[in-house]
Amino acid sequence: MNKIFLPKILLYSFSLAFLFYACSGDDENPENNSNKNTPYKVTYSVSSLRNSDANATAEEMMKSILLIIVKSDGTIEDIENITLPATQEEHTVEILLTTGNKRVYGFANLTDNMKTQAGLSSLLAGSTMPDLSDAALTILNGYTINESNNEYLPMSNYTDITVSAVNGQSFSLELIRLVSKVRIRFTNESGESITLG
């Protein structure tokens, strides 16, 4: 009788052990992890090569970049200050981000004074991202590029990305010369109509 039960007991023991083994790996697989706070590697690649504009000079290229990553609820998830090596034409930065929709703001070549003036220097991860539509940054007439003072042409832009639960994602963000709002007021004292072309 022991000979009949022994194979059954061994079979049940192996089945139970296999079941525990199969379930134990579920929590270790990040692909199946439903925790929204799990970070995944996202790569931002920066190309410091200037455009094909024949009039462009090396002083117009990006020297430093400030990235602000904002979650869909308006909370700042991460702030990255990137200094671009002068010897590299392409530079990559790995950022750990949680899953979901994000807005990435990018600012290049901003001095500390510019960051303070635009309200960017006091921002911290975890705080609420301010509305930048009314942010002001004044660049005086006669602004000059001065490499010794780390003064280069400022650039900015933003892009929307979605981070999935996989590593190895990447995003691109084109930074252009600082977007400006210009208001022009015309006064016509001649009494005659004028045409602007």
Side-chain angles (χ1 to χ4, degrees):
M1 195 164 178
N2 285 342
K3 291 182 181 179
I4 296 173
F5 285 114
L6 186 59
K8 287 184 180 179
I9 292 174
L10 288 175
L11 179 63
Y12 289 139
S13 299
F14 283 130
S15 299
L16 193 58
F18 181 75
L19 180 64
F20 280 127
Y21 178 76
C23 293
S24 66
D26 287 351
D27 293 336
E28 297 172 3
N29 186 358
E31 303 293 332
N32 297 330
N33 196 338
S34 59
N35 186 355
K36 287 222 162 223
N37 294 323
T38 301
Y40 296 91
K41 287 182 185 176
V42 181
T43 301
Y44 175 55
S45 295
V46 185
S47 175
S48 60
L49 284 174
R50 62 178 176 264
N51 201 347
S52 56
D53 183 352
N55 296 318
T57 64
E59 288 76 19
E60 295 178 81
M61 297 194 299
M62 291 179 284
K63 304 296 182 179
S64 63
I65 297 176
L66 170 66
L67 290 181
I68 303 174
I69 298 100
V70 183
K71 297 190 281 189
S72 58
D73 65 359
T75 305
I76 298 173
E77 180 170 348
D78 192 19
I79 298 175
E80 295 284 334
N81 286 288
I82 304 166
T83 301
L84 298 176
T87 57
Q88 293 182 4
E89 293 180 346
E90 188 167 335
H91 186 67
T92 58
V93 178
E94 278 192 347
I95 307 169
L96 290 174
L97 297 176
T98 57
T99 59
N101 297 326
K102 321 280 180 190
R103 174 161 283 184
V104 182
Y105 294 89
F107 307 91
N109 298 342
L110 295 188
T111 63
D112 290 339
N113 185 41
M114 289 176 175
K115 291 177 186 176
T116 301
Q117 190 183 134
L120 301 174
S121 59
S122 61
L123 297 180
L124 299 171
S127 60
T128 301
M129 183 69 179
D131 180 10
L132 296 182
S133 58
D134 293 325
L137 175 60
T138 303
I139 298 178
L140 300 176
N141 290 335
Y143 177 78
T144 57
I145 298 170
N146 188 338
E147 189 172 351
S148 62
N149 291 339
N150 200 29
E151 293 176 350
Y152 303 97
L153 284 176
M155 306 174 195
S156 69
N157 206 351
Y158 71 87
T159 189
D160 294 319
I161 65 171
T162 300
V163 179
S164 303
V166 292
N167 286 314
Q169 302 167 83
S170 63
F171 70 92
S172 60
L173 171 61
E174 181 184 18
L175 297 178
I176 57 177
R177 291 180 184 175
L178 197 60
V179 178
S180 304
K181 295 179 181 178
V182 179
R183 179 178 295 167
I184 302 174
R185 178 178 296 165
F186 295 96
T187 302
N188 181 8
E189 298 177 354
S190 68
E192 301 291 330
S193 60
I194 59 172
T195 302
L196 299 177

